């Protein structure tokens, strides 16, 4: 079961990485706020992806806890 915990922790680190990259890109490109600003759109994508990876990490962790109980 230790590999399940490692996988959940790896997902969490990937989520933090995506969120930090997205926040950094967002702060650098927010002054030109328009849909043609590709780096800004990429930064918003990184922020959304980071939150989704966090959600998947939590679901994965809950599934492994549930599997241990059964």
């Amino acid at each position: 079961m230790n590999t399940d915990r490692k996988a959940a922790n790896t997902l969490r680190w990937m989520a933090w990485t995506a969120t930090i990259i997205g926040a950094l890109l967002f702060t650098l490109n927010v002054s030109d706020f328009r849909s043609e600003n590709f780096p800004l759109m990429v930064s918003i994508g990184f922020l959304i992806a980071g939150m989704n990876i966090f959600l998947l990490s939590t679901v994965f962790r809950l599934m492994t806890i549930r599997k241990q109980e059964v």
Side-chain angles (χ1 to χ4, degrees), residues 12-70:
R12 192 167 27 143
W13 280 109
M14 288 172 58
W16 273 113
T17 303
T19 303
I20 290 170
I21 290 171
L24 183 63
L25 285 172
F26 188 81
T27 55
L28 294 175
N29 297 301
V30 74
S31 62
D32 187 23
F33 197 82
R34 57 190 170 97
S35 62
E36 290 86 19
N37 187 354
F38 184 69
L40 180 66
M41 297 300 123
V42 169
S43 69
I44 293 171
F46 267 103
L47 290 172
I48 292 170
M51 294 302 111
N52 284 328
I53 297 170
F54 269 126
L55 178 67
L56 289 174
S57 170
T58 303
V59 167
F60 190 76
R61 188 177 302 270
L62 290 174
M63 285 176 36
T64 58
I65 291 171
R66 178 76 172 178
K67 187 169 63 172
Q68 290 174 356
E69 290 177 355
V70 174

